[in-house]
Amino acid sequence: MRDLDVLVLGGGAAGLMCGIEAARRGRKVLVVDHAKRPADKIRISGGGRCNFTNLHCTPANFLSQNPRFCVSALKRYTQQDFLALVEKHRISWHEKTLGQLFCDNSAKDIIRMLLNELEAAGGALQLETGIKAVEKPDEWFSVATSKGPLKARALVVATGGPSIPKMGATGFGYDLARQFGLDVVQPRAALVPLTFSDANKDLCARLSGISIDACVSFGKTVFREGLLFTHRGLSGPSILQISSYWKEGSPISVDLLPQTDVFDVLRSARRDSPKQDLRTALTQLLPNRLAEELAGTFSLGGRLADQSDKVLRRASDQLNRWQLTPVGTEGYRTAEVTLGGVNTKELSSKTMETTKVPGLYFIGEVVDVTGHLGGFNFQWAWSSGHAAGQFV
């Protein structure tokens, strides 16, 4: 049986960061993962280029039952701190929209950086290691694995959530938390496409592949980014963002023409080109196929001269404030992250250690802290992993 100071369950972003920081402090550290390769979510992220952080990261970019929980970790290890690590390894990067930072070359550069840092610090990584049982009979954690028993004074759970199960993601971390008497906020898929039924599903299918800039809102929460029609419903950054806030059975509002008052535009067109068909006027505002489909769906047509203000106002409402009620999401299969997780009331915001079980830590996606789309979830992984690594 191997005796360790720190055993980290999960070789993803948070787990590797924690292992690096703990090993730097002279701890005997082992990071284990059941996968054949480490950090597969890093590998596929950002289209293979890893949106590794965001320049504008603040606590406001995160959802949690306790919105203040993430403040401490984010403040002590910022996006600039991680960027400095990236530049130390001479990884070239670029900024996309809204402060999103990507590798110029490949996400593998980030993985290689983390593995090199772990090795340099004296930590070890062990892959293809399944966890069979975890117990704490005394001050040590006893962990039965597919490669033999392990003992550790500190156990860090960085196993993520069940999003993208084809990559081996599971709810193991939640089960372990419950085993030790910790509360878990009900998990659900987040940053995920929304699905529809009946007429709206058919409409989206006919429009599949069309992408436009749109403003999508739920309650007081609004995101303006790309919207993509799919065979099952709606996707794109604006939809993924709002999915984290959407409540089942409630409508979302879609503005297909942000900062354009459709009523004013159509009224001016009626004055200037009264013989023009309303459908034709709409094609000057939206992609042709989208304009034609929506005109048919909303029964918009006929000469502009024949349209009353009431009709033009209805067209404006349908294009600037289109109300759609999703029937659900595409689920964990395509979700980028998991909302919910280990209740933050069970953890120290400074150390990420549980208050009930000394030496037990939870970090990263397994915790009830979920970021917006755009590199924020990786920053939470870096920050929470760094926080735990300073104390394990």
Side-chain angles (χ1 to χ4, degrees), residues 105-131:
N105 180 33
S106 168
K108 294 178 182 179
D109 292 342
I110 298 295
I111 298 174
R112 189 178 303 111
M113 174 191 78
L114 295 170
L115 296 180
N116 288 343
E117 285 285 331
L118 180 65
E119 182 180 8
L125 172 67
Q126 183 174 295
L127 300 172
E128 298 182 87
T129 303
I131 306 301

mmCIF file of all heavy atoms in Angstrom, residues 105-131:
data_model
loop_
_atom_site.group_PDB
_atom_site.id
_atom_site.type_symbol
_atom_site.label_atom_id
_atom_site.label_comp_id
_atom_site.label_asym_id
_atom_site.label_seq_id
_atom_site.Cartn_x
_atom_site.Cartn_y
_atom_site.Cartn_z
ATOM 1 N N ASN A 105 -2.005 27.354 -31.309
ATOM 2 C CA ASN A 105 -1.694 26.063 -31.907
ATOM 3 C C ASN A 105 -2.700 24.985 -31.508
ATOM 4 O O ASN A 105 -3.561 24.607 -32.285
ATOM 5 C CB ASN A 105 -0.278 25.635 -31.510
ATOM 6 C CG ASN A 105 0.119 24.305 -32.104
ATOM 7 O OD1 ASN A 105 -0.294 23.962 -33.209
ATOM 8 N ND2 ASN A 105 0.901 23.542 -31.364
ATOM 9 N N SER A 106 -2.607 24.489 -30.291
ATOM 10 C CA SER A 106 -3.430 23.352 -29.882
ATOM 11 C C SER A 106 -3.655 23.336 -28.382
ATOM 12 O O SER A 106 -2.804 23.773 -27.601
ATOM 13 C CB SER A 106 -2.738 22.051 -30.306
ATOM 14 O OG SER A 106 -3.350 20.926 -29.708
ATOM 15 N N ALA A 107 -4.806 22.780 -27.976
ATOM 16 C CA ALA A 107 -5.106 22.588 -26.557
ATOM 17 C C ALA A 107 -4.079 21.662 -25.908
ATOM 18 O O ALA A 107 -3.866 21.711 -24.691
ATOM 19 C CB ALA A 107 -6.507 22.006 -26.400
ATOM 20 N N LYS A 108 -3.437 20.831 -26.712
ATOM 21 C CA LYS A 108 -2.430 19.925 -26.178
ATOM 22 C C LYS A 108 -1.271 20.692 -25.545
ATOM 23 O O LYS A 108 -0.568 20.155 -24.676
ATOM 24 C CB LYS A 108 -1.910 19.006 -27.285
ATOM 25 C CG LYS A 108 -2.958 18.037 -27.816
ATOM 26 C CD LYS A 108 -2.401 17.184 -28.948
ATOM 27 C CE LYS A 108 -3.468 16.253 -29.516
ATOM 28 N NZ LYS A 108 -2.945 15.441 -30.639
ATOM 29 N N ASP A 109 -1.069 21.938 -25.979
ATOM 30 C CA ASP A 109 -0.016 22.761 -25.382
ATOM 31 C C ASP A 109 -0.297 23.007 -23.904
ATOM 32 O O ASP A 109 0.622 23.013 -23.073
ATOM 33 C CB ASP A 109 0.101 24.097 -26.114
ATOM 34 C CG ASP A 109 0.632 23.958 -27.528
ATOM 35 O OD1 ASP A 109 1.229 22.904 -27.837
ATOM 36 O OD2 ASP A 109 0.434 24.893 -28.324
ATOM 37 N N ILE A 110 -1.569 23.240 -23.565
ATOM 38 C CA ILE A 110 -1.956 23.465 -22.165
ATOM 39 C C ILE A 110 -1.780 22.192 -21.356
ATOM 40 O O ILE A 110 -1.270 22.218 -20.225
ATOM 41 C CB ILE A 110 -3.413 23.950 -22.076
ATOM 42 C CG1 ILE A 110 -3.581 25.289 -22.805
ATOM 43 C CG2 ILE A 110 -3.857 24.076 -20.617
ATOM 44 C CD1 ILE A 110 -2.835 26.445 -22.199
ATOM 45 N N ILE A 111 -2.187 21.056 -21.929
ATOM 46 C CA ILE A 111 -2.035 19.779 -21.224
ATOM 47 C C ILE A 111 -0.561 19.491 -20.975
ATOM 48 O O ILE A 111 -0.154 19.111 -19.861
ATOM 49 C CB ILE A 111 -2.674 18.634 -22.036
ATOM 50 C CG1 ILE A 111 -4.177 18.878 -22.213
ATOM 51 C CG2 ILE A 111 -2.431 17.294 -21.337
ATOM 52 C CD1 ILE A 111 -4.863 17.889 -23.125
ATOM 53 N N ARG A 112 0.253 19.680 -22.005
ATOM 54 C CA ARG A 112 1.697 19.440 -21.872
ATOM 55 C C ARG A 112 2.293 20.355 -20.801
ATOM 56 O O ARG A 112 3.130 19.925 -19.996
ATOM 57 C CB ARG A 112 2.379 19.679 -23.225
ATOM 58 C CG ARG A 112 3.834 19.249 -23.278
ATOM 59 C CD ARG A 112 4.418 19.466 -24.676
ATOM 60 N NE ARG A 112 3.653 18.746 -25.692
ATOM 61 C CZ ARG A 112 2.895 19.338 -26.613
ATOM 62 N NH1 ARG A 112 2.807 20.671 -26.654
ATOM 63 N NH2 ARG A 112 2.245 18.628 -27.498
ATOM 64 N N MET A 113 1.854 21.598 -20.766
ATOM 65 C CA MET A 113 2.327 22.543 -19.758
ATOM 66 C C MET A 113 2.012 22.043 -18.351
ATOM 67 O O MET A 113 2.878 22.047 -17.454
ATOM 68 C CB MET A 113 1.660 23.910 -19.984
ATOM 69 C CG MET A 113 1.966 24.940 -18.920
ATOM 70 S SD MET A 113 0.898 26.406 -19.093
ATOM 71 C CE MET A 113 -0.635 25.779 -18.368
ATOM 72 N N LEU A 114 0.787 21.594 -18.132
ATOM 73 C CA LEU A 114 0.374 21.125 -16.810
ATOM 74 C C LEU A 114 1.138 19.872 -16.405
ATOM 75 O O LEU A 114 1.575 19.743 -15.247
ATOM 76 C CB LEU A 114 -1.130 20.858 -16.796
ATOM 77 C CG LEU A 114 -2.033 22.081 -16.995
ATOM 78 C CD1 LEU A 114 -3.476 21.646 -17.199
ATOM 79 C CD2 LEU A 114 -1.929 23.032 -15.801
ATOM 80 N N LEU A 115 1.316 18.938 -17.330
ATOM 81 C CA LEU A 115 2.050 17.714 -17.017
ATOM 82 C C LEU A 115 3.512 18.009 -16.715
ATOM 83 O O LEU A 115 4.105 17.415 -15.799
ATOM 84 C CB LEU A 115 1.935 16.724 -18.178
ATOM 85 C CG LEU A 115 0.521 16.208 -18.481
ATOM 86 C CD1 LEU A 115 0.557 15.227 -19.645
ATOM 87 C CD2 LEU A 115 -0.099 15.557 -17.246
ATOM 88 N N ASN A 116 4.095 18.931 -17.464
ATOM 89 C CA ASN A 116 5.487 19.312 -17.201
ATOM 90 C C ASN A 116 5.620 19.980 -15.836
ATOM 91 O O ASN A 116 6.600 19.732 -15.103
ATOM 92 C CB ASN A 116 5.996 20.247 -18.298
ATOM 93 C CG ASN A 116 6.233 19.528 -19.616
ATOM 94 O OD1 ASN A 116 6.328 18.308 -19.659
ATOM 95 N ND2 ASN A 116 6.311 20.283 -20.708
ATOM 96 N N GLU A 117 4.665 20.827 -15.496
ATOM 97 C CA GLU A 117 4.698 21.501 -14.196
ATOM 98 C C GLU A 117 4.541 20.496 -13.055
ATOM 99 O O GLU A 117 5.200 20.603 -12.023
ATOM 100 C CB GLU A 117 3.581 22.553 -14.126
ATOM 101 C CG GLU A 117 3.865 23.811 -14.940
ATOM 102 C CD GLU A 117 4.895 24.717 -14.279
ATOM 103 O OE1 GLU A 117 4.997 24.717 -13.037
ATOM 104 O OE2 GLU A 117 5.616 25.424 -15.016
ATOM 105 N N LEU A 118 3.657 19.509 -13.244
ATOM 106 C CA LEU A 118 3.450 18.489 -12.206
ATOM 107 C C LEU A 118 4.727 17.677 -11.999
ATOM 108 O O LEU A 118 5.151 17.446 -10.855
ATOM 109 C CB LEU A 118 2.297 17.566 -12.604
ATOM 110 C CG LEU A 118 1.968 16.438 -11.614
ATOM 111 C CD1 LEU A 118 1.468 17.014 -10.301
ATOM 112 C CD2 LEU A 118 0.926 15.479 -12.203
ATOM 113 N N GLU A 119 5.359 17.275 -13.092
ATOM 114 C CA GLU A 119 6.590 16.493 -12.995
ATOM 115 C C GLU A 119 7.707 17.308 -12.359
ATOM 116 O O GLU A 119 8.449 16.811 -11.491
ATOM 117 C CB GLU A 119 7.010 16.015 -14.387
ATOM 118 C CG GLU A 119 8.267 15.150 -14.381
ATOM 119 C CD GLU A 119 8.664 14.688 -15.771
ATOM 120 O OE1 GLU A 119 8.066 15.161 -16.763
ATOM 121 O OE2 GLU A 119 9.594 13.856 -15.865
ATOM 122 N N ALA A 120 7.824 18.561 -12.781
ATOM 123 C CA ALA A 120 8.878 19.420 -12.235
ATOM 124 C C ALA A 120 8.712 19.649 -10.742
ATOM 125 O O ALA A 120 9.703 19.792 -10.007
ATOM 126 C CB ALA A 120 8.890 20.758 -12.977
ATOM 127 N N ALA A 121 7.480 19.666 -10.293
ATOM 128 C CA ALA A 121 7.211 19.898 -8.873
ATOM 129 C C ALA A 121 7.395 18.634 -8.037
ATOM 130 O O ALA A 121 7.416 18.703 -6.802
ATOM 131 C CB ALA A 121 5.790 20.427 -8.693
ATOM 132 N N GLY A 122 7.491 17.488 -8.717
ATOM 133 C CA GLY A 122 7.689 16.232 -7.982
ATOM 134 C C GLY A 122 6.428 15.420 -7.798
ATOM 135 O O GLY A 122 6.438 14.401 -7.084
ATOM 136 N N GLY A 123 5.335 15.834 -8.423
ATOM 137 C CA GLY A 123 4.090 15.081 -8.335
ATOM 138 C C GLY A 123 4.052 13.976 -9.381
ATOM 139 O O GLY A 123 4.840 13.971 -10.325
ATOM 140 N N ALA A 124 3.133 13.035 -9.205
ATOM 141 C CA ALA A 124 3.019 11.907 -10.133
ATOM 142 C C ALA A 124 1.592 11.788 -10.642
ATOM 143 O O ALA A 124 0.631 12.197 -9.977
ATOM 144 C CB ALA A 124 3.440 10.615 -9.447
ATOM 145 N N LEU A 125 1.470 11.214 -11.840
ATOM 146 C CA LEU A 125 0.164 10.990 -12.467
ATOM 147 C C LEU A 125 0.043 9.508 -12.794
ATOM 148 O O LEU A 125 0.962 8.909 -13.351
ATOM 149 C CB LEU A 125 0.039 11.818 -13.750
ATOM 150 C CG LEU A 125 -1.187 11.557 -14.629
ATOM 151 C CD1 LEU A 125 -2.462 11.993 -13.916
ATOM 152 C CD2 LEU A 125 -1.053 12.281 -15.970
ATOM 153 N N GLN A 126 -1.105 8.930 -12.449
ATOM 154 C CA GLN A 126 -1.357 7.516 -12.718
ATOM 155 C C GLN A 126 -2.704 7.391 -13.429
ATOM 156 O O GLN A 126 -3.743 7.729 -12.863
ATOM 157 C CB GLN A 126 -1.361 6.719 -11.414
ATOM 158 C CG GLN A 126 -1.554 5.222 -11.584
ATOM 159 C CD GLN A 126 -1.396 4.485 -10.270
ATOM 160 O OE1 GLN A 126 -0.301 4.463 -9.692
ATOM 161 N NE2 GLN A 126 -2.479 3.896 -9.786
ATOM 162 N N LEU A 127 -2.667 6.912 -14.676
ATOM 163 C CA LEU A 127 -3.882 6.805 -15.492
ATOM 164 C C LEU A 127 -4.456 5.390 -15.460
ATOM 165 O O LEU A 127 -3.874 4.479 -14.865
ATOM 166 C CB LEU A 127 -3.557 7.214 -16.930
ATOM 167 C CG LEU A 127 -3.041 8.648 -17.100
ATOM 168 C CD1 LEU A 127 -2.563 8.880 -18.525
ATOM 169 C CD2 LEU A 127 -4.126 9.649 -16.716
ATOM 170 N N GLU A 128 -5.626 5.241 -16.098
ATOM 171 C CA GLU A 128 -6.324 3.950 -16.164
ATOM 172 C C GLU A 128 -6.449 3.318 -14.771
ATOM 173 O O GLU A 128 -6.232 2.121 -14.598
ATOM 174 C CB GLU A 128 -5.612 3.013 -17.128
ATOM 175 C CG GLU A 128 -5.587 3.544 -18.553
ATOM 176 C CD GLU A 128 -4.927 2.586 -19.537
ATOM 177 O OE1 GLU A 128 -5.647 1.717 -20.062
ATOM 178 O OE2 GLU A 128 -3.704 2.722 -19.748
ATOM 179 N N THR A 129 -6.821 4.171 -13.828
ATOM 180 C CA THR A 129 -6.959 3.733 -12.436
ATOM 181 C C THR A 129 -8.374 3.984 -11.957
ATOM 182 O O THR A 129 -8.769 5.135 -11.722
ATOM 183 C CB THR A 129 -5.955 4.486 -11.530
ATOM 184 O OG1 THR A 129 -4.629 4.275 -12.013
ATOM 185 C CG2 THR A 129 -6.057 4.012 -10.093
ATOM 186 N N GLY A 130 -9.160 2.928 -11.857
ATOM 187 C CA GLY A 130 -10.534 3.050 -11.383
ATOM 188 C C GLY A 130 -10.587 3.062 -9.868
ATOM 189 O O GLY A 130 -9.788 2.404 -9.199
ATOM 190 N N ILE A 131 -11.516 3.848 -9.332
ATOM 191 C CA ILE A 131 -11.695 3.907 -7.880
ATOM 192 C C ILE A 131 -12.805 2.942 -7.476
ATOM 193 O O ILE A 131 -13.944 3.066 -7.922
ATOM 194 C CB ILE A 131 -12.044 5.330 -7.414
ATOM 195 C CG1 ILE A 131 -10.989 6.328 -7.918
ATOM 196 C CG2 ILE A 131 -12.155 5.392 -5.887
ATOM 197 C CD1 ILE A 131 -9.587 6.038 -7.443
#
